[in-house]
Every structure is written in structure tokens, then in C-alpha cells.
Amino acid sequence: MGYNVIDIIDKAIAIEEKRKTIINNVVNENDNIPYIKVISKVLIKQLDKMIKYYEELRKEVKTEELDTIDIMTYDKMSFLINEFNKKTYIPEVNNVREYLKFSLDLARDKYSLFVDIQGRLVNNTKDNNSKTYKILSAIIKNISRQISTIEKTLK
């Protein structure tokens, strides 16, 4: 059995779960600052929506015949995702703007990660009409919406 886009979706869910853990740690470290709790609730709600989106996407594609991702390409993608996860950290929060900027930077990094993954997939298969490519495009579009929401909040 080879790897397919479901494996990437599972890793995307793991990224969002790790972000929730980071936000919960920020709340625990700053439990005496009300705005941290409020912003964190909003961010966690957004992450829950993303996780739900990924889970529904996974359920939807499970019934379809999916393209297999060769082991070398998947290994590179997996490495990139693991490196992304290693560089996430619990920020020191001093104000709301800084906290939102951290969340925005993290979302932008996630966007770049998935664009990179999609690019590696296309470089390997030369096919931008595959189901996997289209699913990754949908994920990237969803991340882009998340970025826009945070940017609007920062204005």
C-alpha cells in the first residue's frame, strides 16, 4: 500500500492539533490576561473549523480512488511537515497585536508549506489535474481564507 493524499490530510490535522496545544499553553501561561483568553477562544474555534474541514475532506476522499504518491516524494513532503512542526513554539505574549501577528506568521508558514508540498507533487508527476493536486489546492485555498481572517483582524 502506497501513500496518498489522505496521509497528507492526516498530517494537516496533526499540524492543527499542535497549534491548538500551543494556543492552550499560551492561555495557561497568561491566564490572568483577559484578552489572551478571548483571542485564544477565537483562534481555537478557527482551528476546530479547519480540523472539521480536514476530517470531512478525508471522509469524502476515502471512498474515491486516489493517486499514489511515490515514496521519495512522500518522504520529502513528510520531512517538510516534520520540520515545520519542529519550528513551532509557544510565543511570549505581551499584547494582542503581537499574539495575532504570531498566529498570522504561523498560518503564512503553513500556507507556504502546503504550496511547497503541492509543487513537489507536480514536479514529480507533471500532473496538475490529479485528484491529489485538486485536494491540495482546496486545502491551500482554505488556509488562505484563514490568513485573510487574521489579517482583517489585525487591521
Side-chain angles (χ1 to χ4, degrees):
M1 183 184 134
Y3 295 103
N4 60 39
V5 74
I6 292 174
D7 297 299
I8 296 171
I9 292 169
D10 288 342
K11 290 199 176 272
I13 291 170
I15 287 171
E16 300 304 346
E17 291 291 348
K18 181 168 182 165
R19 287 183 65 203
K20 277 179 67 172
T21 301
I22 289 170
I23 290 170
N24 284 324
N25 286 335
V26 168
V27 170
N28 291 338
E29 289 181 9
N30 300 281
D31 63 348
N32 58 336
I33 307 172
Y35 68 81
I36 295 293
K37 288 182 180 181
V38 171
I39 297 293
S40 295
K41 272 186 177 181
V42 171
L43 292 172
I44 286 177
K45 197 177 243 186
Q46 189 181 46
L47 292 174
D48 286 340
K49 282 170 106 174
M50 289 291 284
I51 291 168
K52 184 177 179 186
Y53 167 76
Y54 291 138
E55 288 171 345
E56 288 172 2
L57 186 60
R58 179 177 40 187
K59 199 181 303 180
E60 177 186 318
V61 299
K62 243 183 184 165
T63 61
E64 298 179 25
E65 188 158 328
L66 300 170
D67 311 316
T68 301
I69 301 171
D70 75 84
I71 184 71
M72 295 300 287
T73 303
Y74 182 79
D75 187 48
K76 289 175 189 170
M77 291 176 185
S78 188
F79 175 78
L80 289 172
I81 292 168
N82 290 337
E83 288 299 306
F84 174 84
N85 281 330
K86 282 182 190 175
K87 77 176 196 172
T88 55
Y89 61 95
I90 300 170
E92 188 173 312
V93 178
N94 297 313
N95 60 55
V96 174
R97 192 155 192 74
E98 198 175 280
Y99 188 37
L100 286 171
K101 179 82 172 92
F102 164 77
S103 294
L104 178 61
D105 290 344
L106 197 55
R108 285 179 176 162
D109 287 346
K110 184 174 63 165
Y111 177 87
S112 296
L113 171 68
F114 280 92
V115 168
D116 190 357
I117 287 171
Q118 186 182 44
R120 289 174 190 270
L121 185 69
V122 169
N123 284 341
N124 186 292
T125 63
K126 305 291 186 228
D127 182 9
N128 62 354
N129 291 318
S130 71
K131 185 69 176 169
T132 301
Y133 183 89
K134 290 176 182 172
I135 291 167
L136 284 170
S137 293
I139 289 171
I140 290 167
K141 188 176 181 180
N142 206 348
I143 295 168
S144 181
R145 278 190 232 117
Q146 183 182 40
I147 290 169
S148 294
T149 301
I150 298 170
E151 286 174 338
K152 287 176 188 171
T153 306
L154 271 168
K155 287 185 179 179

